[in-house]
Amino acid sequence: MRSIAVMNQKGGVGKTTSTVNLAAALAAAGKKVCVIDLDPQAHASLHLGVSVRDGQPSVYDVLTGEAMFPEVRQQIDTNLWLLPAHLDLAAAEVELASEVGREVILRDKLAQDDQQFDYIIADCPPSLGVLTINALTMVREVFLPLQPHFLALHGLSKLLKTIEIVSKRLNKNLRLSGVLFCMYDSGTRLAAEVSSDVTAFFQGDQALGIAANAKAFETRIRRNIRLAEAPSFGQSIFQYAPQSPGADDYRNLAAEVLKMAVAEMPQLRRAA
């Protein structure tokens, strides 16, 4: 099983869009995939057509000890499951502040789950609090979506430091493995320059350790109005506009991720 956290402390960079549509593309390729929505805004859940009403179980109940994964998990489509979020999740940061072992709640709950998946993909909130730390202790990989503008590298060192601290103290297997450019304008000089700068950053000495094997995906997620429209219909891009450039891009990204599992990350193949 591969477990991936999609994270960036900056909002509006394509994090949730990438979580949902990569998961849907992997499911369409025959892989069993579970999305865990850890953002109190519940955008990944809404994107998949799920709105948790008051009183219904959500990831909040898992974190507070009121439920286990199977009680919350919903099947969305063939090969695709979701642990949905609710606005209550925003209170978890405060409620868990004095909880012993609060950083590893999801890891421990996942270890008790009998359901087997090929991929678990966690959509993290745009912050570096308890919810994100829980995701990082639960997974082995981090995917980092970036928008190609001149602030793309701003805050990146802090984010890498957070991943490194979690890796050293709580999850020695954690690594940044993929960098994904979203909302990409292929015809602009700026996009090309930023892509080059980011690639150079991850090839330099500053990206050693947890980012030593990180790669920028060849697939660029282009700006596409269909990708922006799909969440309002509660559908992935493959349901809403399967022939759109956005659908093509996420199919290509899924193909890269599948290839990575076989060719570039043999330790994950052995663990599967």
Side-chain angles (χ1 to χ4, degrees):
M1 180 182 74
R2 288 182 67 181
S3 50
I4 301 163
V6 182
M7 67 174 293
N8 192 319
Q9 78 275 26
K10 185 179 184 302
V13 295
K15 177 179 58 64
T16 298
T17 297
S18 295
T19 298
V20 168
N21 290 308
L22 173 59
L26 290 169
K31 301 299 181 181
K32 294 182 66 175
V33 185
C34 181
V35 173
I36 301 179
D37 188 355
L38 289 173
D39 191 337
Q41 298 178 94
H43 286 172
S45 302
L46 294 171
H47 200 328
L48 288 169
V50 175
S51 178
V52 177
R53 295 188 294 272
D54 291 342
Q56 288 184 311
S58 69
V59 172
Y60 169 81
D61 298 286
V62 176
L63 284 163
T64 57
E66 300 297 323
M68 302 295 285
F69 275 31
E71 300 171 70
V72 176
R73 188 166 48 228
Q74 300 182 29
Q75 185 163 6
I76 303 302
D77 204 346
T78 303
N79 294 327
L80 183 60
W81 286 260
L82 168 72
L83 268 72
H86 184 274
L87 187 59
D88 285 347
L89 198 54
E93 297 273 359
V94 176
E95 294 179 19
L96 296 174
S98 59
E99 187 79 18
V100 175
R102 62 187 177 276
E103 301 92 348
V104 297
I105 294 173
L106 289 183
R107 183 190 71 184
D108 293 345
K109 291 293 180 73
L110 179 62
Q112 299 174 55
D113 187 13
D114 293 332
Q115 181 72 46
Q116 297 298 310
F117 294 98
D118 297 304
Y119 289 84
I120 288 180
I121 306 179
D123 184 38
C124 298
S127 65
L128 300 176
V130 171
L131 298 175
T132 297
I133 299 302
N134 259 271
L136 295 180
T137 59
M138 177 182 63
V139 305
R140 295 186 62 176
E141 299 178 66
V142 175
F143 284 2
L144 174 62
L146 291 177
Q147 187 176 354
H149 56 58
F150 72 97
L151 290 176
L153 292 175
H154 181 69
L156 187 56
S157 59
K158 180 181 179 181
L159 188 147
L160 292 177
K161 185 66 174 178
T162 299
I163 300 173
E164 184 177 14
I165 291 173
V166 174
S167 177
K168 288 181 177 179
R169 299 180 181 177
L170 297 168
N171 183 2
K172 61 184 177 63
N173 294 315
L174 184 66
R175 296 291 183 271
L176 175 67
S177 57
V179 180
L180 174 64
F181 290 105
C182 300
M183 291 174 274
Y184 194 85
D185 291 317
S186 57
T188 67
R189 179 178 175 181
L190 177 61
E193 289 178 347
V194 171
S195 298
S196 178
D197 288 345
V198 171
T199 299
F201 177 88
F202 284 103
Q203 291 175 345
D205 294 339
Q206 64 268 51
L208 296 177
I210 51 93
N213 296 315
K215 60 167 283 185
F217 289 110
E218 293 180 10
T219 300
R220 307 299 198 241
I221 308 302
R222 293 166 288 177
R223 285 190 181 275
N224 178 232
I225 189 62
R226 300 304 183 196
L227 284 173
E229 293 171 347
S232 64
F233 291 87
Q235 296 178 336
S236 75
I237 189 63
F238 306 104
Q239 297 168 309
Y240 179 67
Q243 305 304 319
S244 66
D248 291 340
D249 291 345
Y250 279 107
R251 285 192 194 95
N252 292 335
L253 175 63
E256 277 197 73
V257 172
L258 290 167
K259 182 180 178 181
M260 178 194 296
V262 174
E264 299 174 38
M265 305 185 75
Q267 74 277 16
L268 294 175
R269 186 180 67 241
R270 290 196 297 268

